[in-house]
Amino acid sequence: MVYKPQVMEHLVRPRNVGELDAPGGVGESGDAACGDVARFTVGIEANRLEEVRYKVYGCAACIAAGSALSELVRDTHLLEAARVSKADLENSLGGPLPEGKEHALTLVLDALHKALEDHWNRQAGEMLVEGYDGGPDGGTNGRMKSVVVATSGGVDSAVTALLLKEAGYDAACVTFRLHDGERGSRSCCSPDTVLFARDTAHRMGLPHFTLDLKDLFDRRVMKDFVGSYAAGRTPNPCVSCNAHVKFHAASFLADRLGFDHVATGHYARVVEEPGGVTMARPTDAAKDQTYVLWPVPKELLSRTIFPLGEYRKEEVRRIAEEKGLAVAYTPESQDICFIPDGNYRGFVRKKIAAEPGEIIDTGGRTLGRHAGVVDFTVGQRRGIGVSAPTPLYVTEVRPAQKQVVVGRREDLEVSEVRVGDLNWFLDYGEADSVQVRYNSPSVTCEVEDSGGGEVRARLAEPVVGVAPGQSAVFYKGDRVVGGGVVRRDG
Amino acid sequence: MQNDVVYLDHAATTPLDERVLEAMLPHLGGAPDGRPRGNPSSLHSAGAAAREAVEEARASVARLVGANEPGEILFTAGGTESDNLAVLGLAASDPSRKHVVISAVEHPAVREAAGHLEATGYEVTRIGVDAGGLVSPARFAGTLRPDTALAAVMWANNEVGTVQPIEEIAELCREAGVPLHVDAVQAAGRLPIDVSRVPVSTLALSAHKLHGPQGVGALYVRGGVELEPVLFGGGQERGLRSGTENVAGIVGLGAASRLAFEELEERTRHEEALREALISGATGLPGVRLNGHREKRLSNNIHVSVEGVEAESLVLFLDALGYAVGSGSACASRGTPAGHKASPVLLAMGRTQEEAISSVRITVGKDTTRAGIDGFLEAFAAAVSQLRELSPLYTS
């Protein structure tokens, strides 16, 4: 193993060594037991990286990479600093590092990016924890066609960023840390979704930022998810995230960078209507995500771009392949992101104690016992634990009485739905149909205001399995008129 | 610039002694009478001359280790081959025995050979060591069984320099009827090795650790000990190591062994004085801790963990300043893409992962000077201080 002279030069005369006394951000990556730790402190003024100091415990490659990186990013705009890739760093060290030493590049870049992440966290203060709706310096300030793209390390968001870049946008990618269940998020030696997303952005020549939204996500999504089960409702965490987390955080960063737009890899379209901006179903009906996007606030939607709304999934994959993006081969994510094994009940059970109670029929007769209402949702057929000549379905969950009501399929039919927590893009009166489940057709309806911030949707034909807590999304043709949360009857 | 390097990595390899080179040159085509190079197996006079040179070398090696007969010495391509031949060859000589005992601090040449036996159905017992790296003879005795095919304990450790109580261990093996293999690659030329007093069955050594050439070694095999070959061919070296002899190399090993035997006391005394200066100088710095046994250690070895500093960066920093020392995990770190693999020897001694990957080995030789050591200690202090300034883990 022989190092290039540039590496030895940085080892013996490292630049920008130390720590800033009053840093604007601190980031550390690595682990003493693994043998490498890098720490960056940064001083940022008006989005310029005025000062950078670094420290490294580790091999010569790590020390040299830290030194070279500090030189590359010092006194540059944040967007330039966040664009520095492993390849850029390697070039500044005179070419490829010896085999087995490439991790030095990842280590020091990660420490720098964590320092930038810390900078945004300090900027955000409570804003991102409470929910962001445009900060003091919110709004755009002149960068035309500029966009912050939320990227997850998956194929859809990567192609979104690529399409916008190719359309001439000034694009910056951002990945959100939402919870600790992500692959490798706790270990320095295993694959990490953030590292992968960063690498993907850098390969496209785009700057990449990371925002730590774990507190916000916990408050607005995870607690709601667990609480809903306890209250006998069927939650949709993607809806909560879109309502409070993802678009707000992307807008927060866009405002800090002076960028106009935000974009995600969702399959939906944003369209201008006489009544204002609204959302519309995408070209690829099979991937339609409008059902979970209804709560995006209208003022955030008006700056949002969904490039994939015009594409089919196969095309997106083909674009990724043609452009040589490694994400082309990542598997489709299906489950709730913070429950990778798909065991929702197990997850909820760990958070709240289950209290046993009765299983009754629609006439009030006791049929059996259950271990806790959290194990049941309306419409459920499997695992009820009561035998009957005809299949039994859960028709209602009553957490206060610890009761689970079961009945026949017909008992699940409803012809009217109460909907609250509303968010409208167009006037509610324009709605001609409503969708009450993911991936199921919308049903013709009439909507009337029932007061108290609720509407009542009268369905042209009865539907089965409308559970409280689910979303009800109203459409006019392919336009999303608005949406809300299904209320309990009565 | 290379001329200015102070070489302090004699445990890795030693400079070739000029006198050894002199002895080898005639066998590398430099014969003064223009005689052609011969194969020791050939009948003609060139072959006879080569044979004679090999036998002379055999006698020198035999004398270095105290063998009764020169015929107890086999020439090999180095320490690793000697260790492999001993471990695999002793095991194969009695297929009814399926148990092997090794110490936890063996060189990879023994450790991996035993691991290979394990993969083919042997049971391997690995005896731990104390904080100084010593094997306890009492614990060792408890591991020997009637079905133990062989035991292997090194004479002196290649990393931390700890010298094992090999006389006691060999005696225990003799009593139990278990063949003992001893890796003496680091010990040969530094410790008085005398197999006439210490009942080992086989003993490995290597020329390039004795100021001889690289790529040649020897295995002592006590008369009467049964050993199966691992190489098959022309039946050279009593059928135990087929292949045309590396004549020049063997001659080099012979010359190096003769010089080591003659100069052993003088070299050891010289090295010990330098070692003591190094130990007091290096461990005088805060957060620098000596690894290995304080007294029972090789005359030329110091091995330290340097708090807050990773070994590779320290080694390369010192290299840039003109001092060549060994990384505590030099072999171990090769080919491990993610993170360091700490030395199993240090972990066996109860050192933490951090201490293990923060350790360097400084090994002097017969030609190391006091001025070189003084210069080194100055450079070491400077390197440690600069790297600690860089280290996020070190606070003075």
Side-chain angles (χ1 to χ4, degrees):
Chain A
M1 185 188 69
V2 179
Y3 284 121
K4 298 256 184 337
Q6 288 92 330
V7 173
M8 295 306 290
E9 166 65 19
H10 278 288
L11 170 66
V12 180
R13 274 174 286 279
R15 329 291 200 270
N16 303 311
V17 172
E19 287 184 35
L20 294 173
D21 287 336
V26 180
E28 191 169 296
S29 187
D31 180 328
C34 287
D36 306 303
V37 180
R39 182 189 295 157
F40 271 75
T41 55
V42 294
I44 296 167
E45 285 295 331
N47 286 344
R48 281 193 80 78
L49 213 46
E50 298 279 343
E51 286 290 348
V52 179
R53 293 279 190 282
Y54 90 104
K55 282 192 165 191
V56 162
Y57 164 84
C59 64
C62 295
I63 290 173
S67 174
L69 178 60
S70 74
E71 281 205 313
L72 283 177
V73 300
R74 193 181 165 184
D75 201 26
T76 63
H77 192 278
L78 275 185
L79 289 167
E80 295 315 309
R83 202 194 304 269
V84 171
S85 66
K86 289 196 272 189
D88 296 335
L89 190 50
E90 202 161 53
N91 286 338
S92 78
L93 288 168
L97 290 171
E99 206 186 324
K101 293 292 181 185
E102 301 87 349
H103 74 283
L105 308 170
T106 305
L107 179 86
V108 298
L109 271 175
D110 194 45
L112 172 70
H113 276 261
K114 282 180 173 153
L116 301 183
E117 181 178 336
D118 184 40
H119 160 73
W120 296 125
N121 268 19
R122 291 170 190 229
Q123 292 268 300
E126 289 300 298
M127 269 186 285
L128 280 179
V129 180
E130 300 294 337
Y132 179 69
D133 292 309
D137 55 348
T140 66
N141 48 30
R143 275 192 187 246
M144 293 307 288
K145 288 193 83 174
S146 52
V147 61
V148 166
V149 187
T151 59
S152 63
V155 62
D156 291 333
S157 56
V159 170
T160 298
L162 188 69
L163 291 170
L164 289 167
K165 185 194 176 209
E166 292 188 342
Y169 278 86
D170 206 350
C173 298
V174 60
T175 302
F176 305 130
R177 284 187 213 280
L178 300 176
H179 49 80
D180 286 323
E182 283 164 73
R183 271 191 304 152
S185 57
R186 261 179 278 200
S187 151
C188 68
C189 301
S190 40
D192 182 312
T193 43
V194 170
L195 293 185
F196 189 66
R198 180 182 305 148
D199 216 44
T200 304
H202 284 165
R203 283 169 195 275
M204 295 187 283
L206 297 177
H208 182 267
F209 296 100
T210 311
L211 286 182
D212 183 347
L213 306 177
K214 281 189 241 177
D215 286 346
L216 178 64
F217 192 78
D218 183 58
R219 283 176 56 140
R220 305 310 294 257
V221 181
M222 305 239 290
K223 284 208 170 72
D224 176 63
F225 179 78
V226 173
S228 289
Y229 269 112
R233 295 191 300 266
T234 304
N236 189 328
C238 296
V239 167
S240 317
C241 185
N242 290 331
H244 304 291
V245 179
K246 195 171 278 178
F247 291 86
H248 296 74
S251 294
F252 164 82
L253 185 63
D255 291 345
R256 292 301 164 293
L257 294 171
F259 276 27
D260 297 319
H261 295 100
V262 301
T264 69
H266 285 112
Y267 287 82
R269 288 182 299 138
V270 182
V271 289
E272 287 289 339
E273 289 282 283
V277 67
T278 187
M279 207 183 285
R281 292 191 189 273
T283 301
D284 189 342
K287 296 297 297 178
D288 185 351
Q289 288 173 302
T290 52
Y291 181 73
V292 293
L293 287 167
W294 66 264
V296 176
K298 192 169 179 176
E299 63 275 19
L300 293 185
L301 185 68
S302 67
R303 74 190 298 190
T304 298
I305 312 172
F306 294 131
L308 301 193
E310 314 288 343
Y311 289 84
R312 305 189 62 78
K313 180 77 183 196
E314 309 87 79
E315 296 176 279
V316 170
R317 258 186 213 286
R318 207 184 56 234
I319 291 168
E321 272 169 27
E322 281 169 9
K323 303 292 179 180
L325 297 180
V327 291
Y329 311 103
T330 53
E332 200 81 341
S333 54
Q334 295 287 5
D335 284 313
I336 294 175
C337 68
F338 54 90
I339 310 177
D341 65 359
N343 181 5
Y344 310 156
R345 299 293 154 73
F347 180 86
V348 173
R349 280 285 190 110
K350 269 184 245 161
K351 305 271 177 182
I352 47 173
E355 293 180 82
E358 288 178 337
I359 299 175
I360 58 172
D361 68 11
T362 45
R365 280 187 308 134
T366 303
L367 302 180
R369 305 273 304 161
H370 65 76
V373 294
V374 297
D375 291 343
F376 300 89
T377 47
V378 170
Q380 177 179 339
R381 185 163 74 103
R382 292 203 178 84
I384 293 174
V386 173
S387 56
T390 54
L392 288 177
Y393 295 81
V394 175
T395 60
E396 195 186 344
V397 177
R398 299 173 179 164
Q401 295 96 325
K402 297 173 199 138
Q403 282 175 335
V404 173
V405 185
V406 298
R408 295 160 303 151
R409 185 177 158 82
E410 301 89 274
D411 296 327
L412 279 170
E413 287 183 353
V414 295
S415 50
E416 204 178 271
V417 182
R418 277 206 306 131
V419 184
D421 277 341
L422 295 157
N423 183 45
W424 297 110
F425 302 123
L426 302 175
D427 186 84
Y428 74 89
E430 304 229 16
D432 58 22
S433 67
V434 63
Q435 184 178 332
V436 291
R437 296 170 77 158
Y438 204 60
N439 290 332
S440 68
S442 56
V443 181
T444 304
C445 72
E446 276 174 29
V447 182
E448 64 182 46
D449 189 346
S450 51
E454 292 186 356
V455 294
R456 194 174 291 274
R458 289 186 211 286
L459 310 178
E461 54 192 272
V463 295
V464 163
V466 181
Q470 277 176 229
S471 292
V473 184
F474 300 97
Y475 294 87
K476 174 195 177 191
D478 68 349
R479 300 296 196 256
V480 181
V481 176
V485 178
V486 174
R487 295 287 192 227
R488 196 179 300 281
D489 273 339
Chain B
M1 181 194 142
Q2 289 303 307
N3 295 336
D4 295 330
V5 169
V6 174
Y7 185 78
L8 298 173
D9 199 13
H10 289 78
T13 194
T14 54
L16 186 66
D17 191 304
E18 278 179 23
R19 296 167 293 177
V20 172
L21 178 62
E22 288 288 308
M24 292 171 69
L25 282 174
H27 301 277
L28 290 166
D33 55 2
R35 188 181 62 217
R37 178 175 71 182
N39 183 324
S41 299
S42 299
L43 293 175
H44 47 63
S45 57
R51 199 154 57 239
E52 204 172 300
V54 167
E55 293 315 314
E56 194 187 321
R58 202 184 303 279
S60 297
V61 178
R63 193 162 61 123
L64 178 67
V65 299
N68 281 336
E69 298 287 336
E72 291 175 320
I73 302 297
L74 304 178
F75 290 116
T76 67
T80 294
E81 191 194 322
S82 294
D83 281 334
N84 270 257
L85 173 56
V87 172
L88 303 178
L90 287 172
S93 69
D94 185 351
S96 69
R97 298 184 180 203
K98 293 289 184 194
H99 175 235
V100 173
V101 177
I102 65 168
S103 87
V105 294
E106 290 303 299
H107 187 275
V110 168
R111 192 174 72 221
E112 297 301 320
H116 173 72
L117 287 176
E118 195 169 33
T120 60
Y122 280 74
E123 185 189 337
V124 177
T125 302
R126 295 170 178 84
I127 323 159
V129 293
D130 68 11
L134 282 176
V135 171
S136 145
R139 280 184 63 191
F140 175 78
T143 65
L144 300 178
R145 313 193 310 217
D147 68 331
T148 305
L150 74 132
V153 178
M154 67 204 321
W155 201 304
N157 184 263
N158 53 303
E159 292 185 40
V160 296
T162 298
V163 177
Q164 299 296 347
I166 215 74
E167 291 87 346
E168 279 178 78
I169 286 167
E171 200 54 49
L172 290 166
C173 283
R174 193 187 57 77
E175 283 164 18
V178 171
L180 174 69
H181 169 66
V182 174
D183 175 332
V185 167
Q186 295 291 340
R190 299 218 146 72
L191 292 167
I193 289 173
D194 187 356
V195 294
S196 70
R197 288 195 311 105
V198 185
V200 307
S201 297
T202 55
L203 179 138
L205 57 87
S206 172
H208 76 109
K209 312 284 191 187
L210 296 169
H211 302 278
Q214 296 174 334
V216 59
L219 182 69
Y220 161 79
V221 184
R222 182 176 298 279
V225 167
E226 285 183 40
L227 189 74
E228 289 294 313
V230 297
L231 286 181
F232 299 90
Q236 289 88 343
E237 299 295 288
R238 296 195 282 126
L240 287 169
R241 207 287 185 176
S242 286
T244 296
E245 295 84 346
N246 169 9
V247 176
I250 288 168
V251 167
L253 171 57
S257 298
R258 182 172 53 76
L259 292 167
F261 183 76
E262 288 166 1
E263 298 171 2
L264 184 81
E265 259 179 69
E266 186 192 331
R267 287 185 190 183
T268 309
R269 212 177 318 115
H270 174 72
E271 289 177 352
E272 269 174 355
L274 297 177
R275 180 191 69 187
E276 292 307 303
L278 274 170
I279 290 178
S280 70
T283 59
L285 297 175
V288 177
R289 173 177 173 179
L290 185 70
N291 296 315
H293 200 279
R294 182 65 186 83
E295 283 86 34
K296 292 171 184 165
R297 74 185 303 131
L298 284 172
S299 55
N300 73 331
N301 173 296
I302 101 154
H303 189 286
V304 288
S305 290
V306 183
E307 198 188 322
V309 174
E310 187 268 354
E312 191 221 69
S313 60
L314 180 54
V315 169
L316 290 174
F317 202 112
L318 288 166
D319 187 45
L321 299 181
Y323 296 89
V325 303
S327 151
S329 53
C331 280
S333 68
R334 195 179 295 169
T336 55
H340 294 59
K341 209 195 279 169
S343 147
V345 171
L346 290 169
L347 297 181
M349 289 162 55
R351 291 288 179 274
T352 64
Q353 185 89 3
E354 283 91 332
E355 286 170 324
I357 58 188
S358 294
S359 64
V360 291
R361 178 184 67 188
I362 304 139
T363 44
V364 300
K366 68 185 177 69
D367 301 319
T368 307
T369 64
R370 180 64 207 221
I373 293 304
D374 291 343
F376 168 76
L377 285 170
E378 221 168 282
F380 182 72
V384 168
S385 135
Q386 194 166 329
L387 289 170
R388 278 177 174 172
E389 204 173 301
L390 252 167
S391 171
L393 302 184
Y394 186 78
T395 42
S396 52

